[in-house]
Amino acid sequence: MCGRYAITLPPEAMQKLFAYGERPNFPPRYNIAPTQPVPVVRLDGGVRQFILMRWGFIPGWVKDVKSFPLVINVRGESAREKPSFRAAFIRRRCLMPADGFYEWHRTGQGRQPENHAFLFRRPDRGLFAFAALWETWHSPDGSEIDTVALVNGPANGLMSAIHDRCPVILDPRDYDAWLDPAATPDEAATLLKPPPEDLLEMLRIGPAVNRVVNDGPQIQEPFDASAVTPAPAPVRHARKATRNPENEGQGSLF
């Protein structure tokens, strides 16, 4: 499940690739997290539009946001049937631009397993787009919130070593078909495929990405094992020696 991603390229590069008319200005983001406003490309009147939405999908029928779980990923295999996402899958498909995303892999046994962070990006550092669904939620006070979640599916071979799921990254040739509200759900579903094996590279990075407040280029630096402070060895306390009447004067540790 993708829970953090990045958009580090300039706004001009995004506008050129996704061909919308707006000219937004935004800084590089290296650690985008759920509930934050994120760039989305959708169709509006048949024309591509850039818009900011809350990353965390809220179905229209929800009355109390606090009682509804945070939905940042939607399973592509079931989105057409789930009541929460069915209408959005039919009429409100969109793109979430990115140039990198992060996944965590838990290793080790016992009470303190390690979580290793990995960055996935294109070898040429270019932009790509997650398949996504959006919905406008109307609060009881009459205000509106545009919300979005990315679509995920089975991992490709590269990612399967880390996680069994990964975001659906659309082929640029399929952007129009995914955005087209006239496309049937079955037609749209055929676009939800694992990324090609050569699309992304994987890089282990340090733990800085774990904290949302860290949002600079340093979080994408390769993992440096020499900078890790080893955990202290557990202290073993000897049990108090007890008196052995059969061996007077000798203490026993057992």
Side-chain angles (χ1 to χ4, degrees):
M1 183 180 76
C2 177
R4 304 281 178 83
Y5 72 100
I7 303 174
T8 64
L9 292 173
E12 295 78 14
M14 185 183 295
Q15 185 195 33
K16 181 178 180 180
L17 176 61
F18 295 102
Y20 45 75
E22 294 78 12
R23 295 184 177 274
N25 187 24
F26 48 85
R29 294 293 315 277
Y30 291 85
N31 201 5
I32 300 171
T35 74
Q36 293 178 350
V38 299
V40 170
V41 179
R42 68 178 181 183
L43 279 190
D44 182 40
V47 178
R48 291 188 187 181
Q49 177 191 44
F50 173 100
I51 187 172
L52 293 177
M53 295 188 181
R54 173 191 184 265
W55 186 18
F57 188 96
I58 307 174
W61 49 262
V62 171
K63 301 301 181 184
D64 181 8
V65 174
K66 295 180 180 179
S67 66
F68 191 76
L70 182 62
V71 178
I72 59 174
N73 289 251
V74 176
R75 290 181 68 92
E77 299 94 326
S78 58
R80 287 173 290 173
E81 290 80 33
K82 293 284 187 180
S84 295
F85 315 117
R86 185 166 53 218
F89 196 92
I90 295 172
R91 294 186 292 271
R92 288 182 287 278
R93 297 183 296 268
C94 60
L95 308 172
M96 287 176 63
D99 55 39
F101 64 96
Y102 309 100
E103 292 288 354
W104 283 260
H105 180 55
R106 176 168 291 193
T107 62
Q109 303 294 326
R111 290 182 294 179
Q112 293 184 325
E114 295 184 78
N115 278 318
H116 297 159
F118 292 84
L119 165 64
F120 291 86
R121 64 188 179 192
R122 284 177 42 171
D124 64 1
R125 310 294 194 270
L127 284 158
F128 50 85
F130 301 133
L133 306 176
W134 68 274
E135 183 69 83
T136 299
W137 181 72
H138 301 267
S139 72
D141 65 7
S143 60
E144 296 181 350
I145 304 174
D146 290 323
T147 70
V148 67
L150 63 87
V151 178
N152 68 26
N156 65 5
L158 175 70
M159 286 205 61
S160 62
I162 305 300
H163 203 287
D164 62 350
R165 309 285 296 177
C166 74
V168 173
I169 299 175
L170 292 170
D171 187 310
R173 294 170 295 185
D174 293 332
Y175 290 170
D176 285 337
W178 177 254
L179 293 173
D180 185 2
T184 68
D186 288 343
E187 291 170 337
T190 64
L191 307 176
L192 304 180
K193 298 172 287 191
E197 294 298 335
D198 60 352
L199 179 66
L200 303 171
E201 64 180 10
M202 179 175 70
L203 176 69
R204 184 179 172 188
I205 58 175
V209 69
N210 296 341
R211 301 190 63 198
V212 176
V213 295
N214 297 328
D215 194 17
Q218 75 279 1
I219 71 169
Q220 293 191 350
E221 293 175 359
F223 175 75
D224 182 2
S226 65
V228 177
T229 303
V235 178
R236 296 183 178 275
H237 297 283
R239 292 172 59 185
K240 185 178 180 180
T242 58
R243 187 175 180 181
N244 186 345
E246 297 182 359
N247 191 9
E248 190 64 35
Q250 297 291 326
S252 174
L253 299 180
F254 304 100

